[in-house]
Amino acid sequence: MSVAEYMELCVSHYYANNNPFGKEGDFITAPEISQIFGELIGAWLQNIWQSSLDGQAILCEVGPGRGTLMRDALRATKNSEFHKNIDICLIETSHALRGVQAERLQVTHPRISWHNTLDNLPSMPLFLIANEFFDALPIRQYLENNEERKIITNENTLSFSPDGKVTREESPASVSIMKQIAEHIKKYGGAALIIDYGYTTTTHGDSLQAMKNHKYVEPLQEPGEADITAHVDFTTLKNAAAETGSHVWGAVEQGTFLNRLGAELRAINLCKSASDTQQKEILSGLERLTSPHQMGTLFKVLAITSDGNKPIGF
Ligand code: SAH
């Protein structure tokens, strides 16, 4: 099978059967590190909604995980006109995670629905967030001679074939979802934020990786039991979105984006009513999200808007 087919099988099995997030899980994502992440994203979305539209819209998250980002975004914008005007659509294929999301989010908003894909979004303006979603989408890998890398089984072991260095990756699934989002925004209005770790140069080698218990493991080692991902090719995503005629911004580094949105000020405010231990957590969370040595530069943020006004943070 192709690397893409393998990845797709692994990812769907993994999210259906594991509790991947947090200390006890396999990895930790930005919204699980600090509430500031989801709060600032909520404010960003509300700000664009207010200045561009101020009417009925869909608030959509693709791959919401445990629903933490959405919970924090909704809390930060509570009792607002934005809330009254949005219907929430969560795109999630894992039934187990849908359950977690329902439990945590149903108290926060009266209109939430779940979908497997973006195919049947209502014809309304779309405000969309994708954090660490595109890295889970399948990639194809090619060797120097342009031959596609495959995965073969031999007895009970998996191996790559043919041997050789991977010089190029492609993610047709990512491109198609990106286009779908950008086309919707171009047609009906709205904005999207895509946040992930990845690269902005077009040449890149093998970025397939797997993580279990916060450690890297060989991608073929524990199929479906480790979190298998690939780096996101932001240049290709950007071009795919731009082709639809929508406006594309970034990618900027996550640290820059969050600082421009006032992450530090928010942390200082949170510290005011926090205990010593909590203050340490707030500041180390901020550091983790924004420092170049941690998630600040590896993670990048891309925005799509329907109008040409430069959004905050870009
Ligand atoms: N955004 C969350 C979770 C990231 S993990 C966070 O930042 O914590 C990836 C998420 O995408 C999981 O919720 C997983 O179940 C979901 N997912 C993976 N592949 C998907 C697909 N093809 N369609 C819809 N959801 C998918």
Side-chain angles (χ1 to χ4, degrees):
M1 68 177 95
S2 68
V3 173
E5 286 168 297
Y6 174 75
M7 234 181 129
E8 202 168 349
L9 285 172
C10 288
V11 167
S12 63
H13 183 272
Y14 176 73
Y15 284 106
N17 297 290
N18 289 278
N19 177 19
F21 306 99
K23 277 202 190 88
E24 269 96 68
D26 295 318
F27 60 93
I28 187 156
T29 57
E32 305 292 337
I33 291 172
S34 169
Q35 68 183 80
I36 295 174
F37 190 75
E39 289 173 347
L40 293 179
I41 286 169
W44 188 92
L45 293 165
Q46 181 183 26
N47 179 268
I48 304 231
W49 170 83
Q50 219 159 18
S51 56
S52 69
L53 181 81
D54 214 354
Q56 274 203 332
I58 312 158
L59 175 59
C60 175
E61 184 173 359
V62 282
R66 301 177 65 233
T68 308
L69 193 164
M70 185 56 82
R71 183 197 65 188
D72 294 338
L74 290 175
R75 190 186 56 252
T77 55
K78 207 167 57 184
N79 299 327
S80 64
E81 284 302 309
F82 177 57
H83 261 220
K84 288 182 203 144
N85 278 283
I86 51 170
D87 284 354
I88 298 177
C89 289
L90 301 178
I91 311 298
E92 176 59 72
T93 39
S94 157
H95 286 277
L97 286 175
R98 280 185 181 203
V100 178
Q101 292 154 17
E103 202 176 298
R104 301 181 81 206
L105 292 172
Q106 250 149 6
V107 289
T108 63
H109 200 278
R111 295 180 302 281
I112 306 182
S113 60
W114 279 264
H115 311 265
N116 281 322
T117 65
L118 289 162
D119 293 347
N120 297 310
L121 284 181
S123 308
M124 283 203 283
L126 172 68
F127 291 81
L128 179 138
I129 164 82
N131 185 58
E132 290 210 43
F133 169 74
F134 280 93
D135 65 9
L137 296 180
I139 57 155
R140 291 179 169 272
Q141 294 190 312
Y142 298 90
L143 307 176
E144 215 145 22
N145 60 2
N146 257 341
E147 199 172 339
E148 185 170 1
R149 196 191 204 191
K150 300 270 161 75
I151 290 161
I152 52 167
T153 46
N154 201 341
E155 306 278 309
N156 271 336
T157 57
L158 295 173
S159 54
F160 289 115
S161 172
D163 265 345
K165 193 168 164 259
V166 172
T167 52
R168 193 163 58 84
E169 296 181 337
E170 265 178 20
S171 178
S174 301
V175 168
S176 121
I177 291 178
M178 188 76 254
K179 277 198 178 146
Q180 204 174 6
I181 295 167
E183 262 159 20
H184 190 108
I185 289 172
K186 169 76 184 162
K187 201 163 167 193
Y188 302 107
L193 266 188
I194 315 297
I195 308 174
D196 226 306
Y197 61 96
Y199 52 96
T200 49
T201 53
T202 42
T203 49
H204 204 81
D206 180 3
S207 81
L208 192 69
Q209 65 181 48
M211 206 169 232
K212 194 169 173 67
N213 296 325
H214 303 270
K215 289 198 184 76
Y216 290 107
V217 294
E218 283 303 316
L220 302 186
Q221 201 178 306
E222 295 185 69
E225 301 303 325
D227 177 46
I228 190 160
T229 58
H231 280 46
V232 170
D233 173 356
F234 276 99
T235 308
T236 300
L237 283 191
K238 202 174 157 155
N239 293 340
E243 261 177 43
T244 68
S246 58
H247 295 266
V248 190
W249 311 91
V252 298
E253 290 169 351
Q254 175 172 295
T256 308
F257 177 73
L258 294 176
N259 285 329
R260 286 179 181 162
L261 260 57
E264 205 172 330
L265 199 62
R266 179 66 186 132
I268 291 168
N269 271 326
L270 282 172
C271 282
K272 283 183 187 153
S273 53
S275 68
D276 283 358
T277 323
Q278 286 170 330
Q279 286 187 13
K280 282 205 188 93
E281 274 172 21
I282 293 164
L283 297 176
S284 76
L286 177 70
E287 164 86 6
R288 225 168 138 182
L289 294 183
T290 57
S291 160
H293 306 294
Q294 307 213 34
M295 298 169 84
T297 54
L298 177 60
F299 280 73
K300 303 192 175 61
V301 187
L302 189 74
I304 299 165
T305 58
S306 53
D307 64 34
N309 298 325
K310 185 157 132 167
I312 301 174
F314 290 87

